Amino acid sequence: MAATYSFDIVSDFDRQELVNAVDQAVRDIKSRYDLKDTQTTVELGDEVITINTDSEFTLESVHTVLREKAAKRQLSMKIFDFGKVESASGNRVRQEIKLKKGISQEIGKQISKLIRDEFKKVQASIQGDAVRVSSKTKDDLQAVMQRLKQEDFPVALQFTNYR
């Protein structure tokens, strides 16, 4: 009996960890001396984080605090897609940070092409916003995981459903 093993490549993040990171960043911003009087707001929506502050300089400081808190919670910086800085009312600035989730068709094709080119006994198929990788040996799947970790894709990759 020839059993096949597989795993899925996905791009996702832990929503609760992101909520905690944003909450910690907001607390840190309210207590920091250089950011205390800027009336900075950081709002977490379903697919976007909105920052409203008084200048681009303080916006950079807020970015630093947010990145630091996300890194402490093992969130990849690749989930953040920083939009352009817009002017808001009252000489303030606003920026939206989109949260990237899922593997696009283009990146899925890059991943499956890399697997096809380098691993002859491994099959990769795109399934929605994930890539399913299957093989007859677990060793081949482990090698694929190691190879993908070496590559720098524009999204954070996780490996799930390993069986």
Side-chain angles (χ1 to χ4, degrees), residues 70-94:
K72 282 186 180 176
R73 298 210 160 257
Q74 278 80 42
L75 292 169
S76 172
M77 296 300 113
K78 293 180 181 180
I79 67 170
F80 299 124
D81 183 16
F82 292 91
K84 66 177 184 154
V85 178
E86 305 167 347
S87 295
S89 60
N91 291 333
R92 297 177 63 80
V93 293
R94 178 187 311 123

Side-chain angles (χ1 to χ4, degrees), residues 46 80 108 126:
D46 287 340
F80 299 124
I126 300 171

Side-chain angles (χ1 to χ4, degrees), residues 92-155:
R92 297 177 63 80
V93 293
R94 178 187 311 123
Q95 184 179 37
E96 288 190 348
I97 304 171
K98 289 188 176 78
L99 301 171
K100 292 194 268 184
K101 199 175 204 177
I103 297 176
S104 68
Q105 288 286 29
E106 179 183 314
I107 295 171
K109 287 178 184 175
Q110 289 175 3
I111 292 171
S112 60
K113 182 179 182 334
L114 179 97
I115 293 170
R116 272 196 318 274
D117 291 347
E118 295 188 20
F119 301 95
K120 302 300 180 204
K121 296 180 179 179
V122 179
Q123 295 81 37
S125 62
I126 300 171
Q127 298 182 339
D129 59 354
V131 178
R132 166 85 35 99
V133 180
S134 57
S135 174
K136 292 188 186 235
T137 66
K138 288 184 177 182
D139 292 340
D140 289 341
L141 295 180
Q142 293 287 338
V144 169
M145 285 184 193
Q146 291 302 316
R147 177 64 181 98
L148 290 174
K149 285 179 184 176
Q150 295 169 359
E151 203 66 29
D152 187 30
F153 290 102
V155 294

Side-chain angles (χ1 to χ4, degrees), residues 10-42:
V10 296
S11 179
D12 202 358
F13 57 87
D14 187 348
R15 178 78 183 174
Q16 188 58 48
E17 290 296 336
L18 181 66
V19 169
N20 293 342
V22 169
D23 286 346
Q24 284 182 340
V26 167
R27 271 190 256 123
D28 201 13
I29 289 165
K30 286 182 179 176
S31 65
R32 265 182 56 169
Y33 178 75
D34 59 338
L35 298 174
K36 193 183 291 187
D37 296 328
T38 61
Q39 284 123 22
T40 299
T41 60
V42 180

